Amino acid sequence: MALTISKKLGINIDHVATLRQARLGEEPSVLEAALEAEQGGADSITVHLREDRRHIQDADVFELMEKIYVPLNLEMSVSPEILKIAIKVRPEKACLVPEKRKELTTEGGLDLFSKRNSLIRTIDALSAEKVEVSLFIDPVEKQVREAARLGAYAVEIHTGSYANAAGKKKEREFFRVREAARLGQELGLRVHAGHGLNYENIFPLLAISEVLEFNIGHSIISRAVFVGLAKAVQEMKKIIISGKG
Ligand code: PXP
């Protein structure tokens, strides 16, 4: 009997911290959000410690690492300051992303051919601490090949262009994600996907067997406003496991 491994769901809870920072107070609690997401079936919790600290704060990362049960995935740039913190926290996973001060959210994948020294230093330092390093890249062949050459553990394929496209263009973007995922697996990388995914556009991606994990934030936190976070996560988890809404 063939063994099917179900895809994993990582929940990005940055938006909970965005709401808290709007009043610079204590609520809503990022830790409580992580624990609720776990109850709903989250396989990992993602937070992005941005250089400008616009949402997640250093203390959140340390507290989550200590108190959550599922692996912590720390999203981060290759800045030496953030690397120092990551080394202290030693999360199970880290996802390296490009970061721009003025962006509303991460706008695209890393270009693995620029900032090479910082990139290599960050990958090596984290890997030495047994952190599984994934590189957030666009679905582009040369980026996938470079991720493997750099010794990354995983790639997270940026699905933003797929999510934002419509009609024929969406189909083309889907094929780009699928080709990148296939190549990644062929090269021995673990393949994740994320950005802009929601309760509808995720369905076609479920057919890409090479994608082992989805990382989703905005759509789930938005749904949580109406149904609660555990239920919002549960609904997405059900889709991922059963292929049905
Ligand atoms: N993966 C990465 C690398 C991201 O930067 C983000 C956004 O923070 C996500 C996944 C989640 O994207 P969304 O909030 O659009 O679901």
Side-chain angles (χ1 to χ4, degrees), residues 9-25:
L9 173 61
I11 303 295
N12 181 315
I13 55 170
D14 291 345
H15 292 299
V16 176
T18 301
L19 198 53
R20 181 193 60 192
Q21 294 310 105
R23 291 287 170 96
L24 298 175

Side-chain angles (χ1 to χ4, degrees), residues 7 24 50 85 88-90 93-95 116-117 135 140 164 169 177 179 219 223 231 241-242:
K7 296 177 191 300
L24 298 175
R50 294 187 77 106
I85 297 166
K88 273 197 206 145
V89 175
R90 294 182 69 217
K93 305 154 173 248
C95 180
R116 299 255 321 162
N117 290 344
L135 304 178
V140 170
N164 292 330
K169 181 151 192 290
V177 172
E179 287 316 298
S219 64
R223 175 109 183 107
K231 182 148 193 305
I241 289 174
S242 69

Side-chain angles (χ1 to χ4, degrees), residues 139 161-163 165 168-180 182 201-208:
S161 300
Y162 160 78
K168 276 271 168 240
K169 181 151 192 290
K170 196 171 201 79
E171 213 174 293
R172 278 200 302 277
E173 292 296 337
F174 169 81
F175 289 130
R176 288 180 71 213
V177 172
R178 193 178 69 182
E179 287 316 298
R182 286 182 176 168
N201 66 17
I202 192 154
F203 281 98
L205 299 183
L206 298 174
I208 306 177

